[in-house]
Amino acid sequence: MEQNKLREWEYKCIQEEPPQCTAGCPIHVDARLFVKQAGQGDWEAALKTLAKTMPFPKILGRVCDHPCEPVCKRGEAGEPIAIGALERACVETAQEKVKGVMLPRKDKRVAVIGSGLSSMTVAWDLLRKGYRITVFEPGERLGGTLWEFPETILPPDVITEELSLLESLGAVITLSAQVARDDFIAGIHGEFDAVFVGLDVADLNLHDLELEPLTLATSRKGLFAGGDCRKDGRLSPITEAFEGRRAATSIDRYVMNVSMDNGRENEGPFVTRLYTNVEGLEPLPRLTPADPNSGYSTGEAIREAERCIQCECMECVKVCLYLERYKGYPKKYARQVFNNERVIYGAARTKNQFVNSCSTCGLCETVCPNDFFMGDLCLQARRTMNEQKLMPPSFHEFALKDMAHGNGERFALCSHEPGRQESAWLYFPSCQLCATSPGEVLSSYRHLRERLSGGVGIMLRCCGAPAFWAGRDDLFREALDTVRNEWERLGRPRVVTACSTCRSIFQDHLPEMESVSLWKVIEETGLPGGEGTGTGTTVAVADPCITRNDPETQGSVRRIVQSLGISIEELPLSGGKPECCGYGGLMYNANPGLARDVIAHRATVSNNDYLAYCAMCRDNFAAAGKRVSHLIELLFPTAPGGDPAARGWISWSERRTNRAKVREGILRELGGKGEWMVEDYEGIVLRMAPDVRKRIDERRILEDDLRRVIDHAERTGKRLENLRTGCYRAYCQTENVTFWVDYTPGEEGFTVHNAYCHRMKIVGVKQ
């Protein structure tokens, strides 16, 4: 990923954008953090937060006209947070004194005329940047219009104490200065590098000077002016402070001889890009203090601050366990992916599992106000890792081998309908549906041949999705090219897909190959058993994540289910926002623990049985102990006892056997036998307890892997025997993986007690 591309990704994520209260504040006080600290009763920390951006916080904290409150998001569900009252409570409660931190002294001098809030902010900001400041005040005390506030609001000793900070930082204060004289400004102009004039100074004539609004520079070089900010005839202290800060920035740039107007778009109030969802938030009124004159007590202030919703976006993290698990958000993840790609060869790459754990389902993009798609980011990273030959094989190897099996001699097949030499239609049931429901696939194929005219061919193979998810563009293009070539060989028929992932792959990457879902065809041509054959039960329809942009298929499924006499429960995340089942993007291969948590979470959303129309959704929910059936099982029932939801999970070894059954069934109808070379080890009979079988399957160890190890051990005698139990332990390396099996021989086969595998080689020993 290039730097400019990173910036594009970062810009899409708005989580780090300021909340409305901060953006609405002219000087951008971090009101969100301040209110959080107030809600915790940490007044000293809250004061430090104010002082970070607020000059003289013990003054402004009492008199600020709080423009942050009208834009507070809490106001959309109740009343805005009383931020102004909380600031007052804070500065009256906190004991710590505000300290000014200075940069090293500069040999630059600035004159400040007047001592209202704008002038004092200029002096405060420039002192902290190291400038030598002289304040010329026409009156006998500093503070200007601050003395107009009632003492109950702003006590005189607070004004005196706060403004004394200027002298403590080294400012020279000149009181009773004759600033109204016509020659005063001209006289000091040559002595200082810049001059600021507070417009709230009485009897000061500057009408002949033009003022530039952005920089507050006047038409006289080196002279700046601002202040006297009133709203509806009343002082706006926070706006005065803002004008002083804006002038201080301009003076600093002017003295340093850099552009005074570049990059200042977000100075002052602005509209933030941050999105905060308040849907479903309980409306709460503002807390009224027991004594309105004295304001909130500390306890009342804490309770009022606790109403704050701490604005943030995090819409994607709220609905995605993957994003939540890594304790960040997309902008942060984009930086991590960028940095990970630039780690020196040979060094540890810390985010490999992260980029390979995303299901690429697209739910994040759907809920994101700015369409940030983590799946796209992760897929790009996977492709880069493959191009750099830095992708650990363990993440995707099993899935790619399963894809190779789906495109191998024991499953792959493409043929016209038996007895025909042309095909108007082509059934593509998918490798995974054939793996989980072989009898139903054969029945559905017969149904299509009965209902559709012009001949219905069939293609058994994998669409290439595992290679796409793995970032293996070479294998993906190879799979697509084969599908396209076979489709063209059959005369470019219209494709009927039973798998939504396959259909999505074809629509996105083989657009010339027109496709329609099996469920749409069945809805239009009629159900195989007629309508109203259901039991009157209710099922929760579990939409596959890939159908979020396919309302046509979702609608067909629901209408079919209702035609069967079954009621439907809609899950909270369905339709345009379905969650992944843990298989998409090869999550289960890269991060089994996360995938199990994702499956368990989704399987517990409803107490009703689930109805899936994705084979992997059905199998993953079943593996988690959820009663679930596939739509094809309701339409073409073969389950013993008539309860497909009780069928349970299916091992990866069974899946391969089931694919072979589909191929054999089609070949029988075509008049063939479907034979292939059978290895000797494949005849070994295995016995396993159910828990052992499931544990081994979760480790992605096939029964044929066990047979190879046992066959090798029995032929070579290379095995370790436990003399106490009679159990053998043996290993065998196949390609990149070494498998270990604990087993006991028997009269009619071998009992397997455990098996595991490592990506390792046993060196120094011949196999």
Side-chain angles (χ1 to χ4, degrees), residues 261-281:
D261 53 13
N262 187 41
R264 304 183 69 171
E265 299 82 7
N266 283 345
E267 281 189 357
F270 65 94
V271 178
T272 182
R273 296 169 59 234
L274 182 68
Y275 171 78
T276 302
N277 188 352
V278 297
E279 184 179 352
L281 187 66

Side-chain angles (χ1 to χ4, degrees), residues 148-183:
E148 297 178 12
F149 286 95
E151 293 185 10
T152 55
I153 299 295
L154 183 57
D157 60 327
V158 171
I159 301 176
T160 302
E161 181 180 344
E162 284 285 273
L163 297 186
S164 68
L165 289 169
L166 296 176
E167 286 189 275
S168 70
L169 291 178
V172 176
I173 308 297
T174 302
L175 299 176
S176 301
Q178 302 299 309
V179 299
R181 291 196 337 239
D182 291 342
D183 62 344

Side-chain angles (χ1 to χ4, degrees), residues 307-377:
R307 290 199 309 120
C308 178
I309 61 176
Q310 289 294 297
C311 290
E312 61 177 359
C313 181
M314 300 294 273
E315 290 299 293
C316 57
V317 179
K318 294 174 187 175
V319 297
C320 177
L321 193 61
Y322 157 69
L323 293 177
E324 177 190 325
R325 184 62 51 88
Y326 284 92
K327 303 186 184 304
Y329 44 86
K331 189 170 189 175
K332 179 179 177 181
Y333 297 144
R335 295 187 194 119
Q336 292 173 345
V337 170
F338 176 79
N339 293 334
N340 198 52
E341 289 181 357
R342 277 152 176 74
V343 174
I344 299 173
Y345 285 88
R349 297 173 66 85
T350 59
K351 293 300 172 185
N352 287 344
Q353 187 182 61
F354 170 76
V355 300
N356 285 297
S357 297
C358 176
S359 68
T360 73
C361 72
L363 180 56
C364 56
E365 182 184 28
T366 301
V367 301
C368 174
N370 230 19
D371 301 330
F372 194 114
F373 183 21
M374 275 299 304
D376 196 10
L377 177 66

Side-chain angles (χ1 to χ4, degrees), residues 109-112 132-134 136 188-195 222:
R109 302 177 67 216
V110 176
V112 176
R132 301 178 188 274
I133 301 297
T134 299
F136 296 94
I188 68 170
H189 197 244
E191 300 177 27
F192 294 89
D193 294 282
V195 177

Side-chain angles (χ1 to χ4, degrees), residues 56 59-60 63 115-117 120 141-150 154-155 159 162-163 200 235 237 240:
F56 313 109
I59 293 176
L60 263 175
V63 302
S115 61
L117 264 175
M120 293 298 89
R141 58 185 178 179
L142 297 179
T145 54
L146 291 175
W147 296 98
E148 297 178 12
F149 286 95
L154 183 57
I159 301 176
E162 284 285 273
L163 297 186
D200 56 347
L235 288 171
E240 284 198 60

Side-chain angles (χ1 to χ4, degrees), residues 734-766:
T734 61
E735 297 181 29
N736 300 319
V737 180
T738 298
F739 295 93
W740 302 78
V741 180
D742 294 338
Y743 70 96
T744 302
E747 292 183 2
E748 298 181 359
F750 299 86
T751 300
V752 176
H753 307 288
N754 195 14
Y756 51 94
C757 60
H758 295 109
R759 188 161 297 280
M760 60 182 295
K761 293 182 179 181
I762 309 298
V763 297
V765 180
K766 293 183 178 180

